[in-house]
Each structure stands twice: as structure tokens, then as C-alpha cells.
Amino acid sequence: MHHRSKTTSSRWKKAFVAAAVSSCLWSHVPAYASGSPTGELKGSVKSISGEILENAVVRLQHLEQGFTREVQANTTGEYVFKNLPVGQYSVTISKSGYDALQQEKLVINVGSTVTLEATLTAGNVERITVNGARLAQIDMTSAASGLVVTSAELEKLPVAEDITSVVLMAPGSSAADSDFGNIASISGASAAENGYYLNGLDITDMRKGMGWTTFPWEAVKETQVITGGVSSQFGRFIGGVTNLVSKSGSNEFHASVKFDYQPRSLAETAPDLNWYDNQGRYDLIINNHEDSSDWRELSMSFSGPLIEDRLFFYVLYAPSQFKSTYANPGALLDDDGDPINTTYWSSERDRDQVFANIDFYLFSDHSINVMYANSKADHANTQYSYNVINGPFNPSRPISSERESSFASISYRGSLTDTLSFSTTLGKIKDEYSAVDGTSNLTPIYDSRTSSATPVGNWIGTSDDVNGDERDVFRIDFEWQLDEHTLRFGYDKEQIDSWRDFHYHGPTAPLNEILYYFTTATGFSANGDNGAFSVPAGDYARGRIFTTVADIRGESEAWYIEDVWQLTDTVTLSLGVRNEIFSNYTGQGEKYVEIDDQWAPRLSAIWDVFGDGDHKAFLNFGRYYQPIAQNTGVRMTAQEYNIYTYYPINDFNADGTANLGTPYGQITYGDGTLRPGWAYASTNMEPMYEDEWSLGYEWAVDQDWTVGARLIYRDLKSSIEDSAIWYAVEAWCADTGRDCSGYDTSSLVWNGGMARVFNPGQDLRMLEDLNGDGTPEEVTIPAEYLGYPVMERTYKALELTWKGKVGESFRLQGSYTYSKSEGNTEGLLRSDNDQSDPGWTRSYDSPELTDHAYGYLPNDHRHKFKLWGTYQLTEDTALGMFYSAQSGRPMNAFGYHPLDEGACVNVHTDPNNCWDAWGAENFYAGFEPSPRGSRGRTPWVQSFDVSLQHVLSIGIADLTLKLDVINVFNWQHATQLNEYHDVDGDPEAETYSVNSTYGKPTAWQTPRYVNLSATVDF
């Protein structure tokens, strides 16, 4: 909580101090690994003549919590404080025969090392001077890159109150595909490859890695974003790391009440898209004018001492409500000129969030932290009939769902000796979400014969879905100071259990079917369970049974060691290595993946170029490993039924439902079979990992300005996917004369032998019962039979950063990044078809999908510019601004794969096996090659945001009023365009139609909205 004094003069003093704190904050780059909620202070003590002052006493006091720590300078005059809680400190340095030196309000930020060089003057020991100390502008102890932002700073900036908005302030970060939610990509990695920590606890989303476990944002005191150079202490991510520290209690009691409101009346909407559908009818393709949202949140906190200087508490309760509406698109009028009905949704989410934090200082250098958070949300979605003439009408019963997330941890930090300290954390995170409501006995039906999917019938809700994840965390870390060496070593382990029970509504639970009505102009053919079948031109129905029951486990453990070596007065080396083990288990408790001996070197060199602390050159190399997502196990090793059935439509009833005939054919991708653990993954699988090189330079131009530059190269060396193998096994058996009579390709399903989890582009070593004798044997299928290229992704970038002030009132910080990201895989996600399915995307389902797949990737935003700052208009009023501009992402033209080229003839012995040629997701358009990212780019996106904050003193309280206007000019640039070029295609006849909405917008940047907030601090 941010506490303000009760008088105008003292408020101005606090504003001045905050400005000084902010200046110090903006001048320091994050120092060491993410996950640590603390910082450190180091320096040296000399006399004014340059004499080393051994045994000088350095004493510091935390200004909010009152505890003190004391060390003596060593034989070289150097001192260090480890594991310092974030906050402001008073530092006093003294030695007999010298004037004591005092540094007030020294700020320690999360993950940072502050260097304070002291020069003492011979004189009266009773006198304290405030001169003689030099705070380094640049951290010379680490090659990590990123930024630290405090809650006090964010109070004056027009930045939304969420983690992603802060992450997007960091250089090299960009917003992920909007269909993935409010998450970010860092340094070219997919948005599922980042890590998130709170008070040292790993709160990264457990199922997919897409975000974090929900907790109230108002509890956050500081946020550290590391975009490169993470030390060996932490792993399980490839992209970047967000490290958060919560608010804590102090020696004064504080209470705060804050109200945030985003009224729908002050928000704009994105434009509609009206265009001709594929039947030539002028339709409302995307309906945005019915979009609305209204959000309000009340945050109430209380904190203070239970025992002065020893035991502190902070508690927060934050209820919120979010209401929204949207309408599905559809044809405007039928052939008779009457409005066509579609659907309209009204949603309401009520969320209650609590957070509690307790700090107990047993001694000045031994502390216990206990943290707890809970977030429970209830959703109610009401479906209406809708048309553009009458608007919404005929509401249904609300469909309800709920989600509850919680975590708890206990941490101990202490010093065993003056040079040896340690910390340990034990925690549990749980996330449960379910949607069990609606007409569970009625089949959901959609009519998709026009440009939209219109519900048919009186059903409510499509499915029942119960999910949960639970992570157990343990870690212990040591740090040992040995003259020129700082040794860090430790161990950590995590276990995640995930479960799911899903099925569609209908009369035959759990194997119910969802139905879609389609029309095809030319007809098509497909390979079914009983051979090839054809669907003629005209209307048809496709049913899908999708039922899954999963209960799986993932484990990871690692040890690390790191030596930070002060090689000379101007050169520091960081020599670290991390070794990781990843294991995954099926629902039957059988291990199907174990990858060990994952050696991850983390090396850096730092050079104080002129020895004055104002010029820093650094070189960094790091290797980062990514575990297999729990999502892969839920999909691959679960009891899953995934069956598509194609029906003729005989005629339609008056209510729009169809009378179906005998099925044309059926395709089974999952038949509910649970195979042994050895049947899901290769036995020679390498982990997914990426190497990072960076070369940088920072320069403290003066006391006000610091600038920097960094070159980055990242290379994805290996990745993992679920990919089809059956055709390769079949061909290899035929060529080698192997008895494969037990491997019947006509009856295989995806997770029952048809596919494996492995490294595409490499030989596949696997266990399989090929001859049907009941005993699996290990065989190796050469890579040329499989036909997959090696998965590739590179990221090359130049980052320029700056931060400083103009006068005492105007502060600026920003960055420019020029980057290229290219390859044949985005990583764990696939943005160009909106597939948020880590480890399970369609990118490598079959080799034909990889033809011409190398090119510029979805996260290749070539230019990124960010600038933000604050201006103190008066002692009570501050103006904030944030401007961002980002070039568009590459465009594709997806279509059908010709059967007479590429993988369809080079890999498949029978072109009929080239089954992914029938989906318009190949890098072909009009049966001609259309390489990835070769069809132009989406438009540039820019936004200018402003805020105005004013503080009033009202009796015993301070009232802070704030206005944020996001996207002031209401720029409405498209962020996504339709990338599907072909429709109604037939690869055998090489006929197709051009999608009438190809290249048209499907998503836009967030329209202008206003956030109003009022905070009362007691």
C-alpha cells in the first residue's frame, strides 16, 4: 500500500522523495535471477586519501519495517548485504577516527544489486555527514536485461493494472494473438514459454503456460521483467520471466480503499466488417457494434505491525464485477428481405479475491514469509436470439461456470554465517474450473451454411467440462561469499497434477455428438474408418463426438551452481550451470517421458570499461529448457474419444433442425483406448531448448540519463510435437521386410499408435508391438521415412534503451527494438490459426503441413517503439503518458495441398495418405506454393495513452483521484487478418474458390476506453 502524509508540505516532501526514488529505480538494470523477491547492497569503504578502511562498520535500517543489519568491511574494504527485502533503507558507515557517513532513503528493488561506494573523512566520530557516498548508476554485477517497475510509479502512468501491461513496457516484448487472451510474447518466443513468480513462488499457468495463477493485482509492490540473461538459479522457460514482489506491512498501521471503474458509456467499439460471404450474399461478417463491457473493482487493504520491528501483516480483499455483451455475426436479410436471426450473449463475472502476507523477522537476518491468495469467479452467460433489426430478444436461462484459484507458500531466509546465507520455499498452487450447466440432454446444433455458425433448436450450452491443476513446489538456495567469488547453488522440484472430464451435451452421455450443418459447392472425398468416402455437392452435416477423461502428472527437478567471480577491479565473470530432469506420467501412473541430463550453461562477462562505473560492456550466453506442457499429457495420454461423422441432409424441419440420412463415412481420431506408457513418445527424445547470445553496452551519460544498446540472437535448437508416424512405419516395414502384421494402420487412432510425441526432423526410436505377439520391441524409423524438417526458430534483434529526466519534474523512459523472427514453428502455440494448444498444434501433424513452412513467424514484429513518462505539474498533480508503435505481423495465404508435389509424393507412397492436403491450412494458395509470411503484413498498431492524478488531503486521509484514457485518438488498426485463402477445394480435381473474406480484418486493437479510480489512504 502507498501511504501519504496528512499535510500539504509533507505531501510535497514525499513527492520529492518519490521522484528521487524513481530516478534511482530507473537507473538500475535487474541484476540477478528471477524468482528472488529480494535485492542486495554492496560497496567499499575508503578514506578520502584512498586508504582501504578495513573493519568499517556498515549498518542499515529498513525505514518501513524497522529491522537493522550490520556488517564489517573486509580486508579490501568491501562489504555486502544479501537477501534484502525491497524498500527504502537508511545506511550508516562508520569507523573510529572518521566522520560517520549516512545515506538516507536508499532504494533496494527486486532482483537488483545497488552499489554504494563510501569515502570517509578523518574527524570527529560524533559528527554524521551526508556527503562522500556515490551510488552507481549502472549495475556492474550482472548481464541480465529488463526493467523494474514499482506500484508507486504505475500510480502515475496510464498503464492497465495487470501483469501483461507491465511486461509490454519491456523492450522486445509484444502482445500475443488476441485470441490467446491478455498475455505477451518476449524475444520471439511464443506466449506459452514465459515464467511468472510471486515472492519466489512459481505461479506460471500450470496447464498451458499461458499466463499465471490469478491473484489481486493491487497486492503487487514491484514487478521485475527479465528479457534475457537469466542466471542458472531458475529455469522451465524459454522466453522471459516476470518476477513480482507483494506488498507488506510496516511499523505503521495503514488502511486503503480503492475503487476502479471502466464505464461502458465512455468506451468505443471496434468497427464492424460487412462483406460478401462465400455465397455472394452481403453479410455482417463481424459484428462489433454490439460489443460492450463494464468493469468495476473495490480493493480494501489493511496492514501494520503485530510486533513492532518483528512481525508484520498485510491483507487485501478485492471484489470485482465485469459485464459484457457481444453478438454473433450473420447474414443481414434473407432472400425475402426479412432479418435473419443469430445469437447475442450477455455475460457477467463476479470475482472475489483475497491476499494475505505475513513477515516475521526472528532476528535481523532471519525471516519467515507466509503468503496466501484465493480468487473465486462465478460466470453467468445468457444467450438471446438476435437480428440487426430487432436487436436481442428471447433470453435463455443463464449458463453458469466457476473458477477458483489459490496458492500458499512459506519461505525462510537467513544467514548461517557472515558469508553464507540461504533461503527455502515450500508452496502449493491450485486452479479448478468447471462449466456444468445447460440442457445436458439436448444435442447442440449449429447451422454454418452461411458465413457464421447459427444455433438451431432450444438447447442451452454445448458441453460439461471439469478441469483442475495442482502444483507442489520446493526449493532451497545457498549463497556463499568468498572474497572475489560469490557462489550460488541450490535445488528445486515441482510436481503438477492435472485432470479433466469433458463431453458434449446430448442424450447418449458421455459419447454425445455436436452437429454442424455445412454446404459444399463441389463435394469432397476423405479416408474414413472403412475406407474412402465421398460427400457430394450440396448440404451435409458433420457430427463430432469429443469426450476425454484425464488424470496425469508432470515432474521436474533441477540443481544449479553459479560462481560470480570478480576477476579484476573492472571485469566480472558469471559462470553458472543448471541441470534439469523432466518426467511425465499417464493417467495410469506410467511414465511416458523422462528427459534427464539437460545441461544449461549460463555464462556472462561484464567489463567496467573505464573503471568509473559509468560504462558497462557485457556478453552473455544462456541455454534454456522448456518442459512438456501438461496440455500434451491431457490430450495425448487421456482416455479420449474424437470421432467425426458425415451425414446427408434429407430435409429440414420447421424449427431449422435437419433430418439426417445414413452416414457417408466416419473418421476416428480417438477411440477411448488407453495404451501403455511406452506407446506415446519416442525413446530418444531430446528436450525443447533454446540458446541465447547477447552483447550489450550501457552508458551513464550523467546523473540524469542512462542509455543502452543490446544485440540478441536466439536459436531454438530442438522442439517437441505430436506428429503422425503411421505412413512412415508402414513404408519402413515394407522396405525392410519386417513383420508388421500387428500394426494395422486401418484401425489406428491418433493417440493409439497413429502418432508419437518426438523431435521432428530426427530419427524416431520407439517401442511398438509391430508383429502383434504382445511384446513391444524397440525400432528406429529413419527421418527420411517420416519426412519432417527439423523444427527451427531464430530471433535476431537490436535493442536501444534510454531513461532519464528533464529538469526535476519530467521523467522519460523508453526503447526501440528492431528484430527478425523466422523459422518453421512459432513454438508451443500457433497464432496464425489461433491454436492455443501447447505441444499439440497442427503445425507438425503431418509432413505436408510443413511444405513451404519456413519464413517469417507470427511474432515477427519488425519494429517496436515504446516511450513513457511522468510530469509533475504541481506538488499534488501529475500527468502521465505512454506511447507505443509496433509494425504488423506477417501474413499467410492458407489453402489446399496439391497431391502431385511436396510431401504428398516425396514422403507418402500413396497420395491418398496425404490426408492433411484436404484442409485449407497448408502453405499453398490456389494449389501454388505460398511460403510462410510471404503475403504482406498486418497494419502498424499504435496507441497513445494519458493519465492525470491529483492528491487531496481530507482530514486524516489522503484522497487520490486518477483518470486514465487508453488509446486517446481511438486508433482502430487491425491486429489480425483472415489468412484462409482457399475454400470449397478438391485436391484431386485441383478446384477451389477464393475465400471472399481473405485478407479482411478479424481483430482490431483495443478501442478507446476510460478508467476512473479513487483511492483513500488512512
Side-chain angles (χ1 to χ4, degrees):
M1 177 188 316
H2 184 71
H3 174 68
R4 296 184 178 85
S5 56
K6 307 302 183 292
T7 67
T8 300
S9 60
S10 60
R11 265 204 330 269
W12 172 242
K13 291 177 183 178
K14 289 233 174 182
F16 181 81
V17 169
V21 168
S22 180
S23 176
C24 179
L25 162 69
W26 287 13
S27 298
H28 289 284
V29 175
Y32 50 90
S34 63
S36 171
T38 60
E40 66 179 53
L41 170 67
K42 63 178 293 188
S44 62
V45 186
K46 297 179 181 179
S47 70
I48 197 168
S49 62
E51 178 188 359
I52 293 173
L53 297 183
E54 182 182 356
N55 295 325
V57 176
V58 185
R59 184 178 186 273
L60 56 78
Q61 181 179 28
H62 195 285
L63 296 181
E64 295 174 325
Q65 296 183 329
F67 66 83
T68 61
R69 292 189 188 178
E70 187 175 290
V71 299
Q72 289 186 335
N74 63 15
T75 56
T76 61
E78 296 177 335
Y79 67 90
V80 63
F81 291 92
K82 303 289 186 179
N83 288 329
L84 292 178
V86 300
Q88 295 186 51
Y89 289 81
S90 172
V91 183
T92 303
I93 303 174
S94 61
K95 185 174 174 62
S96 177
Y98 293 85
D99 289 344
L101 183 148
Q102 188 166 354
Q103 178 74 37
E104 291 289 349
K105 296 181 175 62
L106 184 142
V107 178
I108 300 295
N109 295 123
V110 55
S112 68
T113 296
V114 175
T115 300
L116 179 66
E117 306 290 357
T119 303
L120 301 188
T121 303
N124 182 359
V125 295
E126 298 299 323
R127 187 176 65 191
I128 295 179
T129 178
V130 294
N131 298 316
R134 181 181 185 274
L135 271 173
Q137 292 286 92
I138 296 175
D139 179 13
M140 291 292 177
T141 66
S142 172
S145 301
L147 82 164
V148 174
V149 184
T150 69
S151 59
E153 184 180 23
L154 289 174
E155 287 178 2
K156 296 184 178 183
L157 288 171
V159 176
E161 296 182 342
D162 60 72
I163 293 175
T164 296
S165 296
V166 178
V167 172
L168 291 176
M169 298 171 72
S173 62
S174 58
D177 187 293
S178 59
D179 291 293
F180 296 160
N182 185 29
I183 52 178
S185 163
I186 297 177
S187 299
S190 82
E193 298 167 25
N194 301 319
Y196 301 87
Y197 292 82
L198 175 65
N199 289 355
L201 182 69
D202 184 358
I203 60 168
T204 309
D205 172 60
M206 293 173 279
R207 181 68 60 89
K208 297 183 176 183
M210 299 173 65
W212 54 91
T213 303
T214 304
F215 69 98
W217 169 257
E218 192 61 29
V220 175
K221 181 176 183 178
E222 290 191 7
T223 304
Q224 176 193 32
V225 183
I226 298 185
T227 59
V230 180
S231 82
S232 58
Q233 288 176 270
F234 294 90
R236 302 185 187 91
F237 52 80
I238 283 178
V241 187
T242 301
N243 182 29
L244 305 116
V245 176
S246 73
K247 295 175 181 176
S248 300
S250 68
N251 274 327
E252 295 183 17
F253 287 102
H254 297 273
S256 178
V257 179
K258 181 183 180 184
F259 180 67
D260 284 285
Y261 183 37
Q262 293 175 10
R264 68 179 69 192
S265 59
L266 296 180
E268 303 292 337
T269 60
D272 291 339
L273 176 63
N274 291 278
W275 199 252
Y276 295 92
D277 65 19
N278 294 323
Q279 283 72 50
R281 179 162 33 195
Y282 191 71
D283 284 353
L284 179 60
I285 304 298
I286 297 179
N287 183 346
N288 285 322
H289 71 267
E290 295 287 2
D291 289 359
S292 70
S293 64
D294 186 283
W295 175 78
R296 59 196 72 192
E297 181 178 73
L298 183 66
S299 302
M300 297 171 286
S301 63
F302 184 54
S303 64
L306 295 173
I307 302 176
E308 187 173 359
D309 294 344
R310 291 287 185 183
L311 183 59
F312 309 94
F313 72 93
Y314 172 87
V315 292
L316 169 69
Y317 173 56
S320 65
Q321 184 181 74
F322 179 76
K323 295 181 179 180
S324 64
T325 63
Y326 72 92
N328 287 328
L332 299 175
L333 303 173
D334 62 19
D335 294 336
D336 296 326
D338 296 323
I340 295 178
N341 291 339
T342 179
T343 52
Y344 174 98
W345 289 90
S346 175
S347 301
E348 181 174 324
R349 183 196 68 204
D350 294 308
R351 173 182 285 164
D352 285 331
Q353 298 187 100
V354 296
F355 180 86
N357 191 62
I358 295 176
D359 292 310
F360 183 22
Y361 292 91
L362 303 171
F363 309 100
S364 63
D365 54 358
H366 287 265
S367 64
I368 296 174
N369 173 262
V370 178
M371 176 178 63
Y372 173 77
N374 181 275
S375 174
K376 185 174 182 180
D378 294 311
H379 300 253
N381 301 305
T382 303
Q383 177 180 307
Y384 295 75
S385 297
Y386 172 85
N387 62 57
V388 293
I389 303 298
N390 301 310
F393 60 96
N394 191 26
S396 67
R397 179 172 63 86
I399 304 169
S400 64
S401 62
E402 63 180 36
R403 184 165 196 157
E404 183 171 7
S405 305
S406 63
F407 53 80
S409 70
I410 182 169
S411 301
Y412 189 99
R413 291 179 174 82
S415 297
L416 301 176
T417 69
D418 288 343
T419 59
L420 179 61
S421 61
F422 82 103
S423 64
T424 184
T425 297
L426 187 67
K428 181 183 286 290
I429 304 96
K430 193 171 185 178
D431 193 9
E432 295 180 289
Y433 36 107
S434 63
V436 182
D437 200 2
T439 52
S440 59
N441 63 326
L442 297 181
T443 299
I445 304 172
Y446 288 97
D447 190 344
S448 298
R449 291 176 298 159
T450 59
S451 58
S452 63
T454 302
V456 177
N458 296 318
W459 54 272
I460 300 172
T462 61
S463 60
D464 289 346
D465 195 6
V466 178
N467 286 268
D469 302 284
E470 185 173 283
R471 174 192 283 130
D472 291 295
V473 176
F474 169 75
R475 71 173 299 124
I476 186 167
D477 304 273
F478 294 88
E479 187 166 315
W480 192 9
Q481 190 74 33
L482 297 170
D483 295 327
E484 293 85 8
H485 297 268
T486 299
L487 293 180
R488 296 175 180 139
F489 53 95
Y491 170 84
D492 67 87
K493 182 174 182 178
E494 294 189 359
Q495 175 181 301
I496 304 177
D497 293 287
S498 300
W499 58 93
R500 188 186 190 194
D501 186 349
F502 174 92
H503 61 267
Y504 287 123
H505 288 170
T508 57
L511 299 182
N512 293 320
E513 188 175 51
I514 186 171
L515 283 172
Y516 289 87
Y517 301 154
F518 294 103
T519 189
T520 172
T522 59
F524 59 89
S525 300
N527 290 318
D529 297 345
N530 298 312
F533 65 90
S534 297
V535 175
D539 295 339
Y540 69 97
R542 188 193 71 194
R544 185 192 186 191
I545 294 172
F546 184 76
T547 299
T548 184
V549 179
D551 188 0
I552 59 104
R553 171 173 294 178
E555 294 179 353
S556 60
E557 57 183 316
W559 61 262
Y560 73 90
I561 185 168
E562 179 181 71
D563 180 10
V564 180
W565 179 17
Q566 188 71 47
L567 183 63
T568 70
D569 289 343
T570 59
V571 176
T572 302
L573 302 180
S574 178
L575 310 173
V577 65
R578 179 179 177 87
N579 184 271
E580 300 188 271
I581 301 173
F582 300 150
S583 303
N584 297 83
Y585 298 83
T586 70
Q588 296 174 309
E590 296 184 33
K591 185 182 294 185
Y592 75 96
V593 169
E594 181 175 56
I595 309 176
D596 57 8
D597 284 335
Q598 301 174 74
W599 294 95
R602 310 281 176 86
L603 312 171
S604 65
I606 303 160
W607 179 28
D608 185 351
V609 180
F610 299 108
D612 58 2
D614 290 336
H615 295 261
K616 167 184 167 182
F618 59 93
L619 174 67
N620 175 78
F621 170 76
R623 174 166 290 180
Y624 305 94
Y625 289 95
Q626 182 79 37
I628 291 178
Q630 287 291 97
N631 179 73
T632 300
V634 169
R635 294 297 308 273
M636 188 72 174
T637 70
Q639 184 179 10
E640 182 174 287
Y641 296 86
N642 191 4
I643 304 168
Y644 288 84
T645 306
Y646 295 80
Y647 301 90
I649 293 178
N650 295 333
D651 52 36
F652 287 92
N653 300 310
D655 63 358
T657 59
N659 296 308
L660 308 181
T662 302
Y664 294 121
Q666 179 175 284
I667 305 174
T668 300
Y669 297 104
D671 64 358
T673 301
L674 275 174
R675 301 193 78 201
W678 52 259
Y680 296 109
S682 65
T683 58
N684 63 331
M685 187 160 57
E686 295 182 359
M688 179 180 180
Y689 70 97
E690 183 171 271
D691 287 347
E692 176 198 42
W693 290 89
S694 63
L695 175 66
Y697 196 92
E698 292 181 48
W699 176 29
V701 180
D702 53 31
Q703 286 296 107
D704 293 332
W705 284 93
T706 302
V707 297
R710 189 167 74 111
L711 290 169
I712 308 106
Y713 176 73
R714 288 184 168 221
D715 184 7
L716 183 68
K717 310 296 288 188
S718 175
S719 194
I720 298 170
E721 268 289 350
D722 69 306
S723 303
I725 65 166
W726 59 276
Y727 61 88
V729 176
E730 190 177 64
W732 177 78
C733 289
D735 287 350
T736 60
R738 192 68 171 252
D739 177 11
C740 296
S741 57
Y743 188 79
D744 183 6
T745 58
S746 65
S747 62
L748 292 177
V749 295
W750 189 258
N751 64 348
M754 189 177 184
R756 281 291 195 281
V757 175
F758 71 106
N759 305 117
Q762 298 185 11
D763 292 347
L764 168 64
R765 191 166 71 231
M766 67 175 187
L767 289 166
E768 187 59 76
D769 180 16
L770 293 177
N771 60 14
D773 66 356
T775 302
E777 51 190 321
E778 188 172 67
V779 297
T780 299
I781 310 300
E784 56 265 27
Y785 282 92
L786 295 158
Y788 296 101
V790 173
M791 300 182 79
E792 297 179 82
R793 183 183 73 196
T794 60
Y795 175 80
K796 306 166 190 174
L798 168 65
E799 289 179 358
L800 304 176
T801 59
W802 58 89
K803 47 198 169 187
K805 62 180 181 178
V806 180
E808 292 300 320
S809 300
F810 189 23
R811 305 185 179 276
L812 284 173
Q813 183 168 354
S815 67
Y816 167 76
T817 304
Y818 175 81
S819 63
K820 280 187 178 181
S821 181
E822 52 191 332
N824 56 20
T825 179
E826 181 182 347
L828 291 182
L829 303 179
R830 185 176 173 186
S831 297
D832 47 33
N833 73 343
D834 300 328
Q835 195 171 5
S836 58
D837 220 358
W840 200 260
T841 70
R842 284 183 52 76
S843 300
Y844 271 72
D845 275 3
S846 58
E848 52 268 27
L849 289 171
T850 67
D851 285 337
H852 308 291
Y854 189 93
Y856 296 124
L857 295 167
N859 290 317
D860 179 46
H861 297 280
R862 198 60 54 89
H863 305 276
K864 293 183 280 288
F865 179 82
K866 304 171 185 182
L867 178 67
W868 67 91
T870 59
Y871 185 75
Q872 196 74 34
L873 295 171
T874 69
E875 60 185 73
D876 298 317
T877 307
L879 179 68
M881 57 78 64
F882 192 104
Y883 174 77
S884 64
Q886 177 175 278
S887 60
R889 80 183 199 191
M891 271 285 293
N892 299 299
F894 293 126
Y896 304 96
H897 196 300
L899 299 180
D900 59 355
E901 64 176 83
C904 289
V905 292
N906 297 329
V907 178
H908 296 292
T909 55
D910 181 356
N912 288 324
N913 291 338
C914 202
W915 49 276
D916 262 317
W918 297 91
E921 290 192 31
N922 295 272
F923 291 98
Y924 284 84
F927 296 101
E928 296 294 330
S930 180
R932 180 192 290 274
S934 63
R935 294 299 183 105
R937 289 179 177 264
T938 59
W940 276 70
V941 174
Q942 61 178 336
S943 182
F944 181 68
D945 315 324
V946 297
S947 64
L948 184 65
Q949 182 201 60
H950 185 66
V951 183
L952 299 169
S953 210
I954 305 176
I956 63 171
D958 283 347
L959 171 64
T960 302
L961 302 175
K962 188 184 179 191
L963 167 70
D964 295 311
V965 183
I966 308 301
N967 192 4
V968 171
F969 300 109
N970 197 30
W971 285 314
Q972 297 185 340
H973 306 294
T975 57
Q976 295 180 56
L977 305 178
N978 190 325
E979 299 185 62
Y980 289 89
H981 182 274
D982 294 0
V983 293
D984 294 329
D986 184 343
E988 286 184 334
E990 291 203 354
T991 59
Y992 72 99
S993 299
V994 175
N995 184 0
S996 65
T997 57
Y998 170 73
K1000 302 303 178 188
T1002 58
W1004 290 260
Q1005 70 182 103
T1006 302
R1008 180 173 57 229
Y1009 71 92
V1010 173
N1011 187 88
L1012 305 170
S1013 69
T1015 306
V1016 180
D1017 287 327
F1018 300 92

